[in-house]
């Protein structure tokens, strides 16, 4: 048997089972090797009947003492009862709905029974134990792997197929990790690892196997991403003139923080070098990322290039357009806006101005990606709040220029090591400082019983001249997201909720609402009325989550707060505390669940986005965190980006060292590594653009 032997050539596997196995991604012997168990069951303990303790899951070797008895209780329920004995005592065994055992179990034969022992009075019992002839054991007496299943494929089938595959093929997997790496990080060899990840001799052996396989996966991931990053070496982008930033800094209405200055400078160096910039700027909400984007845009324009900034929502694009034209207009820079809600005529005009180069800086939504949009000399692409954009979209905008500089801005702070992986093809800058004079937002987690007090607080702040956001889960925005969830009557839906507030709770206040299903024009109107102070309370879905800036807003109320991720709550909270007023965030939850209360408490304890992100990652896992594989990374089979942080660091280091010695992985002993990286990234064709 070879690694590429088709699964249909295994005994007992015909086309029907083959199809079912294909659903699990298993087509060959090699696939079985890489189909790692999701769990293990320790079936090693063997004991005698007299010693077996109630509640223990053990193997008992015993002889069937009499003809098994079959009784039909009712339709669809029959029992087989057996007595088994060993040298120490007797065991009563009951099987439900396994009538075939009546004939299969032979009196006088020895079997292994694995299961939980129960004691009533003086008799010991087992119900539905795993049962195998004592001389032909295959799933007892060992640590048994537990695999992900699909209809028609039992764990036993997978165990026996995998055992065959491991026995004949584990040694055929070429050891791809270079010897020095194996030694330096004390990693188990490939053959050992494939054997022990499936059929571990002990939990220690399992740990060694796991460690190696996880390391290996992270190693290829890190190396692959580094290769991608290095491909930019030698490609030239539009080089900016060696301008300094003083001209730009004069335009700013405030003194930039040291962190902002440092990151602007990093961008400047990138843009003035021959290598196209590909940089991620991470900064907590309110850290002033827009100014950095503006600085980069200013630089591009100084060198006769155009800049484009892509925002995830219409509202945000509007707002950026407004602040960038206010900031850069006085320097004679022509800033434009392009969103899908604009009239056809207006869009056409903007497109023409981009084509002729008349517009130097354009802000827009996804509309910027559409076919008709062309640039005279696109030199810089800025993607704001990147977690909303896939790698592919970034690439689509980039393709509109000749290797333009790329600046990605994210307010979803993630731990640095993880950032290096997730944004492995990007250089990372961090704005780790907030502008001075911000007062931290006070946060409260309250239950339904405090609702009236919360309303009272809203009223009090409004009377003081402040404005208030109230956010509800996005029921109407994204119905799919709620499928299968209990969207009971309690779940606040924006429109009905806003109407109720307006009529019953705050008839004397000016209440508006926005949600994703509204026409862009209506959204915009509501938002700008709020920004202009014409509304006291804005009820909204998370469309206001990113970026929106209304300094007079001093209270953020989040309904059904348990429905939101911590990072999302952090974003929402970041909408207040932007001015000189004391600001508050009230998280309303009716859930008494331990988990969700615990989670929300984190929000009260810290305002550090990095810490919150770390917690979020721990609680929800990276899948959720980055949203349905939006990050565009290859699928990982065994490693877990959130959990294996320490191994991640080591794998990253090892990959870096290797690529320093052999940047193209051209040496013969590294060919296998390159091969594995290619396989891993094969599905991610777009990342290579
Ligand atoms: P974010 O990083 O969340 O995008 P913004 O760029 O929207 O943050 O900035 C938040 C607010 O802080 C804006 O009103 C901006 O004008 C202001 N701001 C940015 N940098 C500074 C600074 N260095 N000093 C004072 N205010 C600043
Ligand atoms: Mg922003």
């Amino acid at each position: 048997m070879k690694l590429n032997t088709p699964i249909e050539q295994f005994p007992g596997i015909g086309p029907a089972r083959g199809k079912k196995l294909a659903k699990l991604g298993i087509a060959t012997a090699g696939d079985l090797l890489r189909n790692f168990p999701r769990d293990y069951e320790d079936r090693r303990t063997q004991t005698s009947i007299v010693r077996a303790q109630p509640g223990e899951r053990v193997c008992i070797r015993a002889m069937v003492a009499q003809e098994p008895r079959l009784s039909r209780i009712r339709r669809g329920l029959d029992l087989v009862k057996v007595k088994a004995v060993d040298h120490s005592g007797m065991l009563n065994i009951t099987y439900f709905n396994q009538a075939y055992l009546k004939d299969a179990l032979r009196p006088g034969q020895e079997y292994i029974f694995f299961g939980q022992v129960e004691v009533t009075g003086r008799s010991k019992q087992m119900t539905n134990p795993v049962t195998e002839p004592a001389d032909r054991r295959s799933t007892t007496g060992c640590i048994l792997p537990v695999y992900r299943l699909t209809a028609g494929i039992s764990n036993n089938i997978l165990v026996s197929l995998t055992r065959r595959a491991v026995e004949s093929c584990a040694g055929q997997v070429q050891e791809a990790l270079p010897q020095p790496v194996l030694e330096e990080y004390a990693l188990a060899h490939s053959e050992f690892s494939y054997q022990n990840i499936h059929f571990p001799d002990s939990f220690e052996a399992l740990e060694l196997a796991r460690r190696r396989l996880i390391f290996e996966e992270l190693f290829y991931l890190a190396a692959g991403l580094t290769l991608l990053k290095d491909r930019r070496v030698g490609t030239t982008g539009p080089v900016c003139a060696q301008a300094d930033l003083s001209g730009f800094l004069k335009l700013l209405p405030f003194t930039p923080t040291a962190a902002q200055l440092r990151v602007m400078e990093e961008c400047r160096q990138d843009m003035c070098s021959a290598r196209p910039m590909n940089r991620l700027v991470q900064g907590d909400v309110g850290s002033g990322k827009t100014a950095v984007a503006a600085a980069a845009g200013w630089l591009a324009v100084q060198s006769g290039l155009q800049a484009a900034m892509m925002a995830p929502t219409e509202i945000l694009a509007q707002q950026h357009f407004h602040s960038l034209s206010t900031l850069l207009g006085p320097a004679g820079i022509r800033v434009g806006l392009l969103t899908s809600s604009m009239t056809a005529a207006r869009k056409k005009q903007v497109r023409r101005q981009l084509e002729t180069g008349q517009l130097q800086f354009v802000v827009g939504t996804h509309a910027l990606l559409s076919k008709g949009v062309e640039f005279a000399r696109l030199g810089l692409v800025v993607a704001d709040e990147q977690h909303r954009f896939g790698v592919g979209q970034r690439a689509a905008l980039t393709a509109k220029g000749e290797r333009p500089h790329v600046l990605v801005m994210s307010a979803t702070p993630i731990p640095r090591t993880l950032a290096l992986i997730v944004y492995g093809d990007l250089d990372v800058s961090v704005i780790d400082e907030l502008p001075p004079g911000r007062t931290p937002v006070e946060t409260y987690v309250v239950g339904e019983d405090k609702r009236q007090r919360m309303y009272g607080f809203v009223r009090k702040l409004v009377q003081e001249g402040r404005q208030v956001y109230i956010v509800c889960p996005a029921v109407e925005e994204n119905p799919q997201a709620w499928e299968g969830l209990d969207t009971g009557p309690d779940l606040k839906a924006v429109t009905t909720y806003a109407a109720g507030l307006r009529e019953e709770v705050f008839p004397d206040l000016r209440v508006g609402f926005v949600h994703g299903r509204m026409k862009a024009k209506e959204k915009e109107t509501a938002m700008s009325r709020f920004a202009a102070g014409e509304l006291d309370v804005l009820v909204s879905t998370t469309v206001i989550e990113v970026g929106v800036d209304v300094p007079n807003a001093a209270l953020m109320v989040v309904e059904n707060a348990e429905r939101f991720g911590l990072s999302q709550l952090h974003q929402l909270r970041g909408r207040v505390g932007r001015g000189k007023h004391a600001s508050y965030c009230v998280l309303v939850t009716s859930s008494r669940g331990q988990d969700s209360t615990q989670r929300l408490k984190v929000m009260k304890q810290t305002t550090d986005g990095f810490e919150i992100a770390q917690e979020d990652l721990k609680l929800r896992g990276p899948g959720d965190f980055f949203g349905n594989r939006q990050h565009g990374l290859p699928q990982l089979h065994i490693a877990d980006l959130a959990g294996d942080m320490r191994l991640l660091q080591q794998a990253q280091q090892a990959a870096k060292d290797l690529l320093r010695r052999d940047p193209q992985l051209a040496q013969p002993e590294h060919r296998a590594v390159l091969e594995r990286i290619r396989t891993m990234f094969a599905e991610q064709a777009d990342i290579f653009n």
Side-chain angles (χ1 to χ4, degrees), residues 286 288-290 309 316 320 384-385 409 411 546-548 575 578:
K289 292 182 290 294
T290 317
M309 178 163 179
L316 202 57
H320 280 318
D384 192 16
E385 312 296 352
M409 303 202 293
V546 277
V548 177
R575 299 306 106 214
R578 309 195 134 224

Side-chain angles (χ1 to χ4, degrees), residues 542-594:
T542 51
V543 289
I544 62 138
E545 175 192 345
V546 277
V548 177
D549 195 26
V550 180
N552 190 46
L555 170 60
M556 166 65 65
V557 176
V558 184
E559 296 277 5
N560 299 102
E562 73 281 356
R563 299 264 164 170
F564 296 87
L566 291 184
S567 294
Q568 214 176 2
L569 289 174
H570 180 64
Q571 284 288 318
L572 288 171
R573 180 166 61 183
R575 299 306 106 214
V576 297
R578 309 195 134 224
K580 47 191 181 303
H581 316 288
S583 300
Y584 310 88
C585 175
V586 178
L587 305 174
V588 186
T589 174
S590 51
S591 157
R592 287 195 190 80
Q594 189 71 47

Side-chain angles (χ1 to χ4, degrees), residues 37 40 43 153 188 194 278 281 294 368 379 417 494 622 660:
Y40 299 86
R43 296 187 174 179
I153 301 293
Y194 279 108
N278 206 12
V281 173
L368 282 177
T417 13
V494 184
R660 192 174 324 111

Side-chain angles (χ1 to χ4, degrees), residues 8 69 118 177 185 201 337 385 406 411 417 482 533 555-557 570 597 680:
E8 274 92 356
R69 285 205 319 272
E118 283 141 44
L177 289 177
Y185 295 92
D201 289 331
L337 176 71
E385 312 296 352
V406 175
T417 13
W482 299 96
L555 170 60
M556 166 65 65
V557 176
H570 180 64
T597 319
M680 176 178 240

Side-chain angles (χ1 to χ4, degrees), residues 44 75 157 420 454:
R44 289 174 304 172
R75 242 171 95 91
I157 295 178
L420 285 175
M454 183 271 280

Side-chain angles (χ1 to χ4, degrees), residues 254-257 260 284-291 435-436 438 547 549 578:
F254 46 72
T255 316
T257 62
Q260 279 172 315
D284 212 337
V285 223
S287 60
K289 292 182 290 294
T290 317
R438 298 267 165 88
D549 195 26
R578 309 195 134 224

